[in-house]
Amino acid sequence: MHQLTIAEIIRGLRDKQFSSVEITRQLLDRIQQQDSNYNSFITVTAEQALQRAEAADRQLAAGDAPALCGVPIAHKDIFCTSGVRTSCGSKMLDNFVPPYDATVVENLQHAGAVSLGKTNMDEFAMGSSNETSYYGPVKNPWNTDRVSGGSSGGSAAAVAAQLVPGATATDTGGSIRQPAALTNTTGLKPTYGRVSRWGMVAFASSLDQAGPIARNAEDCAHLLSAMAGPDRRDSTNLQRDAEDFTADLNKSVQGLKIGVPKEYFGEGLNADTAARVQDALKEFEKLGAELVDISLPHTDLAVPAYYVIAPAEASANLSRFDGVRYGYRCENPADLRDLYMRSRGEGFGEEVKRRILVGTYALSAGYYDAYYNKAQQVRRLIKQDFVDAFGKVDVIMGPTAPSPAFEIGAKVADPVAMYLEDIYTIATNLAGLPGMSLPCGRVGNMPVGLQIIGNYLDEARMLNVAHQYQQATDWHRASALSLTEAAAAGGE
Ligand code: GLN
């Protein structure tokens, strides 16, 4: 049953091939037996999951089941869950049990989904490899010596290892798409404001957006339909009515205009990764789409602008963790200043401290105009590049990440090398656009992701385009487990 997609589970439950309790129990067993290999979960809520599954089975039997009734999922540990620890991958929140659910959690619960627990992540979602987590790195199911990507590496690895068919994730600069690319899963970052940020631990508020990671585009459509929607509690929410993102999946892509930005195929892109992405573009031509050469001239400014704006917002957001209200508090503080300093000094990890320092510096008097304002101006130019491009094309395609998953530890000592992991994903966050990653091949045994960038609020079309590709190709069906199981059996 662990191989089933969300769409298949929805059907299987309704056709009474199995119950929600049965599939939930099976996945919980798998997590217990196998997750020590991957470290993809921080907290497993077995008892609560089984109770919810029982309730879902009753609803299914009564015939009034909502869309995702009885479907097992997991939440990135950045979403507040009532009564369940929400650590955000940090020692700072290791003891934090929220008294309420995030809107995303609430929405999925209303849709009937059954959460099995909370997935591992980079500390406060800062990272591209899941190595900054207080709970240790997540290991890539395709090769456990390699990173899973980050910051939503736990959600991506849990889906790739078939511990859960889909999971929530968040993307500030690439954290849904890059781990999806590295683990052969499909992930979608919606248009900024499409999904409520209420109850999501804030990293960089003008960039953060929640979305799904699953095995294919169709499953992402099912999850996004439940996650998205209006929410008065988030002032940046677009207040758009919920949509059925599965409605357009089967449209033809005949005549679709695909923009191929030359800046996404330059220096720094692994040659084999480039070849897989080119193959995917050819496949789209076979499906009747037209490739159009475009330019996004400010692409090289995206990473530097992001590393001013994101740390600036993070330094403000993370000021709430002061050892007084909630979260970690140091032992025996001498006075209030000592309490603040040691609680933050001991509670935050290295990368988080680096961001707070950079952000505080960029926002300080005398530097604000030189750094923060300048970065905001660059952000405007980056957005304009996309607006111009979408005057000519329907979607934009390129690689998600510059290379396949690297070895655990390989980039830890070099933050800039790590930051460049998001070179193709960050601009969409700065512009507020939706983006997706889907499997498009492998280099050696490691997966490669194709990125699709859509126009504002064009998620339905992106999902349609991705689904059409997945009807024509099998990359997304390949499983990491055949390798792991072969290795366990002593095979190649
Ligand atoms: N890797 C980027 C960072 O470290 C993006 C992280 C994210 O999207 N949450 O900030």
Side-chain angles (χ1 to χ4, degrees), residues 76 125-128 150-151 170-175 203 306-307 355 422:
K76 183 176 182 179
M126 297 173 189
S128 299
S151 65
T170 62
D171 191 311
T172 303
S175 281
F203 162 14
Y306 173 90
Y307 278 98
R355 308 279 177 116
D422 296 317

Side-chain angles (χ1 to χ4, degrees), residues 91-110:
K91 179 179 178 186
M92 184 58 89
L93 290 177
D94 182 50
N95 63 2
F96 174 54
V97 178
Y100 65 94
D101 283 321
T103 300
V104 162
V105 171
E106 208 174 80
N107 286 353
L108 279 163
Q109 213 163 285
H110 283 155

Side-chain angles (χ1 to χ4, degrees), residues 3 141-142 159-162 183-186 214-216 439-442 445-448 470 473-483:
Q3 284 131 338
W142 289 83
V159 172
Q162 300 182 351
T183 58
N184 209 60
T185 54
T186 303
R215 222 158 278 148
N216 60 35
C440 71
R442 286 192 291 283
N445 271 330
M446 300 310 287
V448 175
Q470 292 183 332
T473 59
D474 276 330
W475 299 114
H476 63 289
R477 290 198 188 88
S479 152
L481 302 182
S482 46
L483 300 175

Side-chain angles (χ1 to χ4, degrees), residues 246-271:
T246 63
D248 289 345
L249 290 177
N250 292 320
K251 283 191 180 164
S252 157
V253 296
Q254 188 75 41
L256 179 84
K257 286 206 170 77
I258 300 175
V260 184
K262 66 168 190 280
E263 292 81 3
Y264 284 32
F265 291 86
E267 207 192 324
L269 177 63
N270 166 289

Side-chain angles (χ1 to χ4, degrees), residues 76 78 122 124-129 150-152 170-178 203 208 306-307 310-311 351 355 418-419 421-422 425-426 429:
K76 183 176 182 179
I78 197 168
D122 277 301
F124 285 101
M126 297 173 189
S128 299
S129 64
S151 65
S152 310
T170 62
D171 191 311
T172 303
S175 281
I176 291 177
R177 291 161 285 162
Q178 186 259 9
F203 162 14
D208 299 342
Y306 173 90
Y307 278 98
E351 184 61 26
R355 308 279 177 116
M418 192 72 93
Y419 296 169
E421 265 302 293
D422 296 317
T425 49
I426 270 181
N429 298 75

